Amino acid sequence: MGECGSPGDVNSNVLIAHSTGDAQLDKAVWQWLSWDKNQKTKEQIESLLQNGKHKELRDRLCCRLTFGTAGLRSAMGAGFCYINDLTVIQSTQGIYKYLERCFSDFKQRGFVVGYDTRGQVTSNCSSKKLAKLTAAVLLAKDVPVYFFSTYVPTPFVPYAVQQLKAVAGVMITASHNRKEDNGYKVYWENGAQITSPHDKEIIKCIEECVEPWNGSWNENLVDTSPLRQDPLKKICDCYMEDLKKICYHRELNVQTNLKFVHTSFHGVGHDYVQLAFKAFGFQPPIPVPEQKDPDPDFSTVKCPNPEEGESVLELSLRLAEKENARVVVATDPDADRLAVAEQQNGCWKVFTGNELAALFGWWMFSRWKENCSEDADVKKVFMLATTVSSKILRAIALKEGFHFEETLPGFKWIGSRVKNLLDNGKEVLFAFEESIGFMCGTSVLDKDGVSAAVVIAEMATYLESKNLTLAQKLVEIYETYGYHISKTSYFLCYDPPTIKRIFEKLRNFDAPESYPNFCGIYKILHVRDITTGYDSSQPNKKSVLPVSKSSQMITFTFQNGCVATLRTSGTEPKIKYYAEMCALPEQ
């Protein structure tokens, strides 16, 4: 873990006066105080030391960040398991080391860095500052860096990685998490988030170079280095141009009287959604004035997650009523996810992620069918979803003849699989995860709230020309392909040992290594445990989906056809549950 310093310096004197009596902890404290150049976070550790808060010091300094379903994510603040200047420098040093090993042309192709608008005054920590430090580590090592001059939606980073043929990219964001959090999302050269083994290898490399290198703290390099380029205009122009590939009814969009309200949830989305609507020929959507501009405190919502539904969409729904707008689109703070609400008979329907996926799936396939060439092969067409999402796309695929595949939870698995399918000559129309993450088309190999917002606007416009609402079309889809009724929610749990106990109890229910046979009066037919790789429905009892030991996930299939999954979130302290009943058409 790096070199220890001489006993005569300030940090050593502080430590001698306040030794914790634990050699490992003393070493970690010493390293922090020696390496951290951010006065605010350094003072947080000094204060804990001087006040004898040894347990909190241990919690902060004796474990490291690990890659979850969306990269590194944690609270901002001092400590090796928090997001701060030092841990971002360490992570980037590890990434530099790994990329240098993987790419002989790393220093020709370069690296993309983007950021959102999060920040925390008490830690002197902001997404832009963390992005500047990320760039500094690489620029100091003579790596060209494409550093966006202002905040961008998360999908712009994977898009830029592919467009600029960079080896990788990082987006500093915690998406829709609470305001205290931030994160570090890594994209590979294929434009998809990193998966195993890259994540594990990068963690190893981070651990090999934890002490900041000369130049790593020089955040001004972004403003002075000739190796830094600003890709903003090029990427924004190309993205909006590419977006037009999935615009099918421009003339309707230009003429429509339908009004849309957009909220960007105090995040990055406003300017980009306005441009996307313009690219499709629409009038700009009406912005929610209180939520249009970035605000790291997310001051008008109790949590900045549009998935929470009507309670957090209050301002946009009231504005839509006032403006007589029938549809509300809400992008989360980093604009990679989308919530949609529609007014009907004086009340609002907020669609779930699974319901929106049914609409998107129908739309993307019906547009493909209407516009494809005569020799197009439906057997080469694919749609994807994560395994905890609704099986509605499977039902549409069975009836229409295209392929449906599922992946582990997290868009990183979808992105990698989509790239693989494209490389093998297949066509991917749509992919989703139930937590309102949608990928329409394949310009971006990640979820994208900007493109999803304008696609849903075009869909609503088209349906209005047929005297249908989105909600009415959804009923038609279920009547054609079979009703899919789902319930998803979560329990908050801040204590990892408790979570582990809950899942271990399920694995050793009535006896060691035995799962429950009933849930209340309902008989359980099959159990799949992704954490251990067990699947009772398979002849060899092995799960077809890859094992994921780092997270908890068990799926129960009931005799009555219900499928229910319990899993831990990869980004928040939540135990999530997902249940769905699928009926046959006409049932």
Side-chain angles (χ1 to χ4, degrees), residues 74-104:
S74 186
M76 289 178 273
F80 291 122
C81 60
Y82 282 63
I83 295 283
N84 51 61
D85 296 2
L86 180 54
T87 53
V88 161
I89 285 171
Q90 291 175 324
S91 301
T92 311
Q93 289 181 172
I95 283 173
Y96 168 81
K97 196 165 181 179
Y98 185 58
L99 292 175
E100 196 183 30
R101 195 191 296 165
C102 295
F103 298 99
S104 57

PDB file of all heavy atoms in Angstrom, residues 74-104:
ATOM      1  N   SER A  74     -20.555   5.641  -4.393  1.00  0.00           N
ATOM      2  CA  SER A  74     -20.570   5.735  -2.943  1.00  0.00           C
ATOM      3  C   SER A  74     -20.904   7.168  -2.545  1.00  0.00           C
ATOM      4  O   SER A  74     -21.093   8.029  -3.409  1.00  0.00           O
ATOM      5  CB  SER A  74     -19.190   5.341  -2.387  1.00  0.00           C
ATOM      6  OG  SER A  74     -19.226   5.292  -0.979  1.00  0.00           O
ATOM      7  N   ALA A  75     -20.942   7.418  -1.225  1.00  0.00           N
ATOM      8  CA  ALA A  75     -21.137   8.789  -0.754  1.00  0.00           C
ATOM      9  C   ALA A  75     -19.861   9.593  -0.994  1.00  0.00           C
ATOM     10  O   ALA A  75     -18.759   9.030  -1.029  1.00  0.00           O
ATOM     11  CB  ALA A  75     -21.472   8.777   0.735  1.00  0.00           C
ATOM     12  N   MET A  76     -20.010  10.908  -1.164  1.00  0.00           N
ATOM     13  CA  MET A  76     -18.836  11.781  -1.231  1.00  0.00           C
ATOM     14  C   MET A  76     -18.360  12.042   0.198  1.00  0.00           C
ATOM     15  O   MET A  76     -19.170  12.176   1.110  1.00  0.00           O
ATOM     16  CB  MET A  76     -19.196  13.107  -1.911  1.00  0.00           C
ATOM     17  CG  MET A  76     -19.450  12.976  -3.404  1.00  0.00           C
ATOM     18  SD  MET A  76     -19.928  14.541  -4.201  1.00  0.00           S
ATOM     19  CE  MET A  76     -21.712  14.537  -3.954  1.00  0.00           C
ATOM     20  N   GLY A  77     -17.068  12.113   0.385  1.00  0.00           N
ATOM     21  CA  GLY A  77     -16.511  12.344   1.722  1.00  0.00           C
ATOM     22  C   GLY A  77     -15.149  11.697   1.832  1.00  0.00           C
ATOM     23  O   GLY A  77     -14.644  11.112   0.871  1.00  0.00           O
ATOM     24  N   ALA A  78     -14.545  11.784   3.021  1.00  0.00           N
ATOM     25  CA  ALA A  78     -13.185  11.277   3.220  1.00  0.00           C
ATOM     26  C   ALA A  78     -13.196   9.776   3.467  1.00  0.00           C
ATOM     27  O   ALA A  78     -14.083   9.262   4.143  1.00  0.00           O
ATOM     28  CB  ALA A  78     -12.541  11.988   4.398  1.00  0.00           C
ATOM     29  N   GLY A  79     -12.221   9.079   2.908  1.00  0.00           N
ATOM     30  CA  GLY A  79     -12.078   7.644   3.151  1.00  0.00           C
ATOM     31  C   GLY A  79     -11.892   6.865   1.873  1.00  0.00           C
ATOM     32  O   GLY A  79     -12.348   7.293   0.809  1.00  0.00           O
ATOM     33  N   PHE A  80     -11.208   5.718   1.980  1.00  0.00           N
ATOM     34  CA  PHE A  80     -10.887   4.911   0.795  1.00  0.00           C
ATOM     35  C   PHE A  80     -12.117   4.225   0.193  1.00  0.00           C
ATOM     36  O   PHE A  80     -12.063   3.718  -0.916  1.00  0.00           O
ATOM     37  CB  PHE A  80      -9.817   3.859   1.131  1.00  0.00           C
ATOM     38  CG  PHE A  80      -8.459   4.465   1.403  1.00  0.00           C
ATOM     39  CD1 PHE A  80      -7.809   4.248   2.611  1.00  0.00           C
ATOM     40  CD2 PHE A  80      -7.834   5.258   0.446  1.00  0.00           C
ATOM     41  CE1 PHE A  80      -6.561   4.805   2.859  1.00  0.00           C
ATOM     42  CE2 PHE A  80      -6.579   5.819   0.683  1.00  0.00           C
ATOM     43  CZ  PHE A  80      -5.956   5.595   1.893  1.00  0.00           C
ATOM     44  N   CYS A  81     -13.252   4.188   0.947  1.00  0.00           N
ATOM     45  CA  CYS A  81     -14.454   3.574   0.373  1.00  0.00           C
ATOM     46  C   CYS A  81     -15.493   4.633   0.011  1.00  0.00           C
ATOM     47  O   CYS A  81     -16.656   4.323  -0.205  1.00  0.00           O
ATOM     48  CB  CYS A  81     -15.039   2.526   1.322  1.00  0.00           C
ATOM     49  SG  CYS A  81     -15.504   3.226   2.892  1.00  0.00           S
ATOM     50  N   TYR A  82     -15.070   5.900  -0.033  1.00  0.00           N
ATOM     51  CA  TYR A  82     -15.950   7.000  -0.431  1.00  0.00           C
ATOM     52  C   TYR A  82     -15.466   7.565  -1.765  1.00  0.00           C
ATOM     53  O   TYR A  82     -14.340   7.291  -2.201  1.00  0.00           O
ATOM     54  CB  TYR A  82     -15.921   8.114   0.623  1.00  0.00           C
ATOM     55  CG  TYR A  82     -16.759   7.820   1.846  1.00  0.00           C
ATOM     56  CD1 TYR A  82     -16.476   6.753   2.699  1.00  0.00           C
ATOM     57  CD2 TYR A  82     -17.861   8.610   2.163  1.00  0.00           C
ATOM     58  CE1 TYR A  82     -17.241   6.478   3.811  1.00  0.00           C
ATOM     59  CE2 TYR A  82     -18.642   8.343   3.280  1.00  0.00           C
ATOM     60  CZ  TYR A  82     -18.330   7.284   4.098  1.00  0.00           C
ATOM     61  OH  TYR A  82     -19.110   7.012   5.204  1.00  0.00           O
ATOM     62  N   ILE A  83     -16.329   8.358  -2.397  1.00  0.00           N
ATOM     63  CA  ILE A  83     -15.915   9.057  -3.622  1.00  0.00           C
ATOM     64  C   ILE A  83     -15.333  10.411  -3.208  1.00  0.00           C
ATOM     65  O   ILE A  83     -15.996  11.204  -2.538  1.00  0.00           O
ATOM     66  CB  ILE A  83     -17.115   9.257  -4.584  1.00  0.00           C
ATOM     67  CG1 ILE A  83     -17.631   7.909  -5.098  1.00  0.00           C
ATOM     68  CG2 ILE A  83     -16.731  10.188  -5.737  1.00  0.00           C
ATOM     69  CD1 ILE A  83     -16.819   7.238  -6.186  1.00  0.00           C
ATOM     70  N   ASN A  84     -14.086  10.644  -3.599  1.00  0.00           N
ATOM     71  CA  ASN A  84     -13.407  11.898  -3.273  1.00  0.00           C
ATOM     72  C   ASN A  84     -12.220  12.081  -4.218  1.00  0.00           C
ATOM     73  O   ASN A  84     -11.952  11.213  -5.065  1.00  0.00           O
ATOM     74  CB  ASN A  84     -12.950  11.881  -1.801  1.00  0.00           C
ATOM     75  CG  ASN A  84     -12.170  10.624  -1.465  1.00  0.00           C
ATOM     76  OD1 ASN A  84     -11.116  10.366  -2.045  1.00  0.00           O
ATOM     77  ND2 ASN A  84     -12.699   9.800  -0.556  1.00  0.00           N
ATOM     78  N   ASP A  85     -11.514  13.175  -4.067  1.00  0.00           N
ATOM     79  CA  ASP A  85     -10.391  13.476  -4.963  1.00  0.00           C
ATOM     80  C   ASP A  85      -9.371  12.336  -4.989  1.00  0.00           C
ATOM     81  O   ASP A  85      -8.929  11.897  -6.056  1.00  0.00           O
ATOM     82  CB  ASP A  85      -9.661  14.756  -4.503  1.00  0.00           C
ATOM     83  CG  ASP A  85     -10.537  15.999  -4.587  1.00  0.00           C
ATOM     84  OD1 ASP A  85     -11.711  15.862  -4.963  1.00  0.00           O
ATOM     85  OD2 ASP A  85     -10.046  17.097  -4.275  1.00  0.00           O
ATOM     86  N   LEU A  86      -9.002  11.861  -3.808  1.00  0.00           N
ATOM     87  CA  LEU A  86      -7.944  10.852  -3.723  1.00  0.00           C
ATOM     88  C   LEU A  86      -8.368   9.514  -4.330  1.00  0.00           C
ATOM     89  O   LEU A  86      -7.619   8.907  -5.108  1.00  0.00           O
ATOM     90  CB  LEU A  86      -7.501  10.659  -2.257  1.00  0.00           C
ATOM     91  CG  LEU A  86      -6.396   9.628  -2.003  1.00  0.00           C
ATOM     92  CD1 LEU A  86      -5.154   9.891  -2.851  1.00  0.00           C
ATOM     93  CD2 LEU A  86      -6.016   9.603  -0.513  1.00  0.00           C
ATOM     94  N   THR A  87      -9.596   9.044  -4.027  1.00  0.00           N
ATOM     95  CA  THR A  87      -9.995   7.731  -4.560  1.00  0.00           C
ATOM     96  C   THR A  87     -10.200   7.787  -6.076  1.00  0.00           C
ATOM     97  O   THR A  87      -9.989   6.796  -6.768  1.00  0.00           O
ATOM     98  CB  THR A  87     -11.272   7.185  -3.864  1.00  0.00           C
ATOM     99  OG1 THR A  87     -12.304   8.166  -3.916  1.00  0.00           O
ATOM    100  CG2 THR A  87     -10.996   6.812  -2.415  1.00  0.00           C
ATOM    101  N   VAL A  88     -10.598   8.958  -6.590  1.00  0.00           N
ATOM    102  CA  VAL A  88     -10.737   9.103  -8.041  1.00  0.00           C
ATOM    103  C   VAL A  88      -9.360   9.095  -8.713  1.00  0.00           C
ATOM    104  O   VAL A  88      -9.167   8.476  -9.765  1.00  0.00           O
ATOM    105  CB  VAL A  88     -11.568  10.366  -8.387  1.00  0.00           C
ATOM    106  CG1 VAL A  88     -11.347  10.809  -9.827  1.00  0.00           C
ATOM    107  CG2 VAL A  88     -13.046  10.079  -8.137  1.00  0.00           C
ATOM    108  N   ILE A  89      -8.381   9.758  -8.082  1.00  0.00           N
ATOM    109  CA  ILE A  89      -7.000   9.717  -8.607  1.00  0.00           C
ATOM    110  C   ILE A  89      -6.483   8.277  -8.597  1.00  0.00           C
ATOM    111  O   ILE A  89      -5.926   7.788  -9.588  1.00  0.00           O
ATOM    112  CB  ILE A  89      -6.075  10.640  -7.771  1.00  0.00           C
ATOM    113  CG1 ILE A  89      -6.341  12.106  -8.131  1.00  0.00           C
ATOM    114  CG2 ILE A  89      -4.597  10.295  -7.978  1.00  0.00           C
ATOM    115  CD1 ILE A  89      -5.646  13.110  -7.224  1.00  0.00           C
ATOM    116  N   GLN A  90      -6.688   7.568  -7.475  1.00  0.00           N
ATOM    117  CA  GLN A  90      -6.223   6.175  -7.374  1.00  0.00           C
ATOM    118  C   GLN A  90      -6.882   5.291  -8.441  1.00  0.00           C
ATOM    119  O   GLN A  90      -6.215   4.481  -9.094  1.00  0.00           O
ATOM    120  CB  GLN A  90      -6.543   5.619  -5.982  1.00  0.00           C
ATOM    121  CG  GLN A  90      -5.723   6.264  -4.875  1.00  0.00           C
ATOM    122  CD  GLN A  90      -6.156   5.772  -3.496  1.00  0.00           C
ATOM    123  OE1 GLN A  90      -7.332   5.528  -3.242  1.00  0.00           O
ATOM    124  NE2 GLN A  90      -5.197   5.618  -2.597  1.00  0.00           N
ATOM    125  N   SER A  91      -8.200   5.481  -8.627  1.00  0.00           N
ATOM    126  CA  SER A  91      -8.925   4.670  -9.613  1.00  0.00           C
ATOM    127  C   SER A  91      -8.398   4.930 -11.018  1.00  0.00           C
ATOM    128  O   SER A  91      -8.221   3.996 -11.810  1.00  0.00           O
ATOM    129  CB  SER A  91     -10.425   4.991  -9.558  1.00  0.00           C
ATOM    130  OG  SER A  91     -10.924   4.739  -8.257  1.00  0.00           O
ATOM    131  N   THR A  92      -8.131   6.188 -11.316  1.00  0.00           N
ATOM    132  CA  THR A  92      -7.655   6.537 -12.657  1.00  0.00           C
ATOM    133  C   THR A  92      -6.230   6.029 -12.887  1.00  0.00           C
ATOM    134  O   THR A  92      -5.897   5.585 -13.995  1.00  0.00           O
ATOM    135  CB  THR A  92      -7.746   8.063 -12.879  1.00  0.00           C
ATOM    136  OG1 THR A  92      -9.052   8.511 -12.493  1.00  0.00           O
ATOM    137  CG2 THR A  92      -7.507   8.422 -14.339  1.00  0.00           C
ATOM    138  N   GLN A  93      -5.416   6.067 -11.850  1.00  0.00           N
ATOM    139  CA  GLN A  93      -4.056   5.506 -11.968  1.00  0.00           C
ATOM    140  C   GLN A  93      -4.128   4.011 -12.289  1.00  0.00           C
ATOM    141  O   GLN A  93      -3.392   3.508 -13.137  1.00  0.00           O
ATOM    142  CB  GLN A  93      -3.265   5.756 -10.682  1.00  0.00           C
ATOM    143  CG  GLN A  93      -2.892   7.214 -10.500  1.00  0.00           C
ATOM    144  CD  GLN A  93      -2.084   7.526  -9.240  1.00  0.00           C
ATOM    145  OE1 GLN A  93      -1.604   8.632  -9.076  1.00  0.00           O
ATOM    146  NE2 GLN A  93      -1.931   6.562  -8.347  1.00  0.00           N
ATOM    147  N   GLY A  94      -5.059   3.317 -11.616  1.00  0.00           N
ATOM    148  CA  GLY A  94      -5.238   1.883 -11.878  1.00  0.00           C
ATOM    149  C   GLY A  94      -5.715   1.638 -13.295  1.00  0.00           C
ATOM    150  O   GLY A  94      -5.245   0.722 -13.983  1.00  0.00           O
ATOM    151  N   ILE A  95      -6.640   2.480 -13.763  1.00  0.00           N
ATOM    152  CA  ILE A  95      -7.150   2.343 -15.130  1.00  0.00           C
ATOM    153  C   ILE A  95      -6.034   2.617 -16.142  1.00  0.00           C
ATOM    154  O   ILE A  95      -5.892   1.898 -17.134  1.00  0.00           O
ATOM    155  CB  ILE A  95      -8.363   3.283 -15.344  1.00  0.00           C
ATOM    156  CG1 ILE A  95      -9.584   2.641 -14.681  1.00  0.00           C
ATOM    157  CG2 ILE A  95      -8.628   3.543 -16.821  1.00  0.00           C
ATOM    158  CD1 ILE A  95     -10.810   3.496 -14.658  1.00  0.00           C
ATOM    159  N   TYR A  96      -5.225   3.648 -15.875  1.00  0.00           N
ATOM    160  CA  TYR A  96      -4.095   3.961 -16.773  1.00  0.00           C
ATOM    161  C   TYR A  96      -3.181   2.739 -16.902  1.00  0.00           C
ATOM    162  O   TYR A  96      -2.811   2.325 -17.996  1.00  0.00           O
ATOM    163  CB  TYR A  96      -3.290   5.161 -16.251  1.00  0.00           C
ATOM    164  CG  TYR A  96      -1.971   5.326 -16.979  1.00  0.00           C
ATOM    165  CD1 TYR A  96      -1.916   5.954 -18.227  1.00  0.00           C
ATOM    166  CD2 TYR A  96      -0.787   4.814 -16.437  1.00  0.00           C
ATOM    167  CE1 TYR A  96      -0.712   6.069 -18.920  1.00  0.00           C
ATOM    168  CE2 TYR A  96       0.415   4.924 -17.126  1.00  0.00           C
ATOM    169  CZ  TYR A  96       0.446   5.549 -18.369  1.00  0.00           C
ATOM    170  OH  TYR A  96       1.637   5.649 -19.047  1.00  0.00           O
ATOM    171  N   LYS A  97      -2.874   2.157 -15.748  1.00  0.00           N
ATOM    172  CA  LYS A  97      -1.962   1.008 -15.727  1.00  0.00           C
ATOM    173  C   LYS A  97      -2.544  -0.163 -16.533  1.00  0.00           C
ATOM    174  O   LYS A  97      -1.852  -0.833 -17.288  1.00  0.00           O
ATOM    175  CB  LYS A  97      -1.732   0.592 -14.264  1.00  0.00           C
ATOM    176  CG  LYS A  97      -0.534  -0.303 -14.062  1.00  0.00           C
ATOM    177  CD  LYS A  97      -0.127  -0.398 -12.607  1.00  0.00           C
ATOM    178  CE  LYS A  97       1.100  -1.288 -12.528  1.00  0.00           C
ATOM    179  NZ  LYS A  97       1.633  -1.474 -11.197  1.00  0.00           N
ATOM    180  N   TYR A  98      -3.843  -0.391 -16.370  1.00  0.00           N
ATOM    181  CA  TYR A  98      -4.488  -1.513 -17.062  1.00  0.00           C
ATOM    182  C   TYR A  98      -4.591  -1.257 -18.566  1.00  0.00           C
ATOM    183  O   TYR A  98      -4.331  -2.140 -19.383  1.00  0.00           O
ATOM    184  CB  TYR A  98      -5.881  -1.754 -16.460  1.00  0.00           C
ATOM    185  CG  TYR A  98      -6.583  -2.965 -17.030  1.00  0.00           C
ATOM    186  CD1 TYR A  98      -5.997  -4.230 -16.940  1.00  0.00           C
ATOM    187  CD2 TYR A  98      -7.815  -2.859 -17.663  1.00  0.00           C
ATOM    188  CE1 TYR A  98      -6.635  -5.361 -17.470  1.00  0.00           C
ATOM    189  CE2 TYR A  98      -8.460  -3.965 -18.179  1.00  0.00           C
ATOM    190  CZ  TYR A  98      -7.863  -5.217 -18.084  1.00  0.00           C
ATOM    191  OH  TYR A  98      -8.487  -6.319 -18.611  1.00  0.00           O
ATOM    192  N   LEU A  99      -4.977  -0.029 -18.937  1.00  0.00           N
ATOM    193  CA  LEU A  99      -5.121   0.293 -20.362  1.00  0.00           C
ATOM    194  C   LEU A  99      -3.780   0.266 -21.082  1.00  0.00           C
ATOM    195  O   LEU A  99      -3.696  -0.136 -22.246  1.00  0.00           O
ATOM    196  CB  LEU A  99      -5.783   1.669 -20.533  1.00  0.00           C
ATOM    197  CG  LEU A  99      -7.248   1.763 -20.095  1.00  0.00           C
ATOM    198  CD1 LEU A  99      -7.755   3.193 -20.193  1.00  0.00           C
ATOM    199  CD2 LEU A  99      -8.144   0.837 -20.912  1.00  0.00           C
ATOM    200  N   GLU A 100      -2.743   0.683 -20.377  1.00  0.00           N
ATOM    201  CA  GLU A 100      -1.393   0.660 -20.964  1.00  0.00           C
ATOM    202  C   GLU A 100      -1.002  -0.781 -21.311  1.00  0.00           C
ATOM    203  O   GLU A 100      -0.362  -1.047 -22.321  1.00  0.00           O
ATOM    204  CB  GLU A 100      -0.401   1.264 -19.954  1.00  0.00           C
ATOM    205  CG  GLU A 100       0.920   1.659 -20.564  1.00  0.00           C
ATOM    206  CD  GLU A 100       1.891   2.175 -19.505  1.00  0.00           C
ATOM    207  OE1 GLU A 100       1.825   1.734 -18.339  1.00  0.00           O
ATOM    208  OE2 GLU A 100       2.715   3.012 -19.859  1.00  0.00           O
ATOM    209  N   ARG A 101      -1.472  -1.702 -20.463  1.00  0.00           N
ATOM    210  CA  ARG A 101      -1.193  -3.120 -20.679  1.00  0.00           C
ATOM    211  C   ARG A 101      -2.026  -3.681 -21.842  1.00  0.00           C
ATOM    212  O   ARG A 101      -1.580  -4.546 -22.587  1.00  0.00           O
ATOM    213  CB  ARG A 101      -1.533  -3.876 -19.382  1.00  0.00           C
ATOM    214  CG  ARG A 101      -0.980  -5.285 -19.292  1.00  0.00           C
ATOM    215  CD  ARG A 101      -1.592  -6.023 -18.108  1.00  0.00           C
ATOM    216  NE  ARG A 101      -1.255  -5.439 -16.821  1.00  0.00           N
ATOM    217  CZ  ARG A 101      -1.895  -5.718 -15.678  1.00  0.00           C
ATOM    218  NH1 ARG A 101      -2.917  -6.554 -15.690  1.00  0.00           N
ATOM    219  NH2 ARG A 101      -1.537  -5.169 -14.552  1.00  0.00           N
ATOM    220  N   CYS A 102      -3.263  -3.169 -21.988  1.00  0.00           N
ATOM    221  CA  CYS A 102      -4.207  -3.731 -22.977  1.00  0.00           C
ATOM    222  C   CYS A 102      -4.059  -3.131 -24.375  1.00  0.00           C
ATOM    223  O   CYS A 102      -4.398  -3.783 -25.358  1.00  0.00           O
ATOM    224  CB  CYS A 102      -5.647  -3.523 -22.515  1.00  0.00           C
ATOM    225  SG  CYS A 102      -6.072  -4.413 -21.023  1.00  0.00           S
ATOM    226  N   PHE A 103      -3.627  -1.886 -24.465  1.00  0.00           N
ATOM    227  CA  PHE A 103      -3.618  -1.189 -25.767  1.00  0.00           C
ATOM    228  C   PHE A 103      -2.257  -0.587 -26.078  1.00  0.00           C
ATOM    229  O   PHE A 103      -1.825   0.341 -25.384  1.00  0.00           O
ATOM    230  CB  PHE A 103      -4.675  -0.068 -25.777  1.00  0.00           C
ATOM    231  CG  PHE A 103      -6.087  -0.544 -25.593  1.00  0.00           C
ATOM    232  CD1 PHE A 103      -6.703  -0.474 -24.342  1.00  0.00           C
ATOM    233  CD2 PHE A 103      -6.806  -1.073 -26.657  1.00  0.00           C
ATOM    234  CE1 PHE A 103      -8.003  -0.916 -24.161  1.00  0.00           C
ATOM    235  CE2 PHE A 103      -8.117  -1.520 -26.474  1.00  0.00           C
ATOM    236  CZ  PHE A 103      -8.713  -1.442 -25.233  1.00  0.00           C
ATOM    237  N   SER A 104      -1.615  -1.079 -27.124  1.00  0.00           N
ATOM    238  CA  SER A 104      -0.309  -0.515 -27.509  1.00  0.00           C
ATOM    239  C   SER A 104      -0.492   0.897 -28.100  1.00  0.00           C
ATOM    240  O   SER A 104       0.427   1.701 -28.092  1.00  0.00           O
ATOM    241  CB  SER A 104       0.378  -1.424 -28.538  1.00  0.00           C
ATOM    242  OG  SER A 104      -0.475  -1.580 -29.660  1.00  0.00           O
TER     243      SER A 104
END
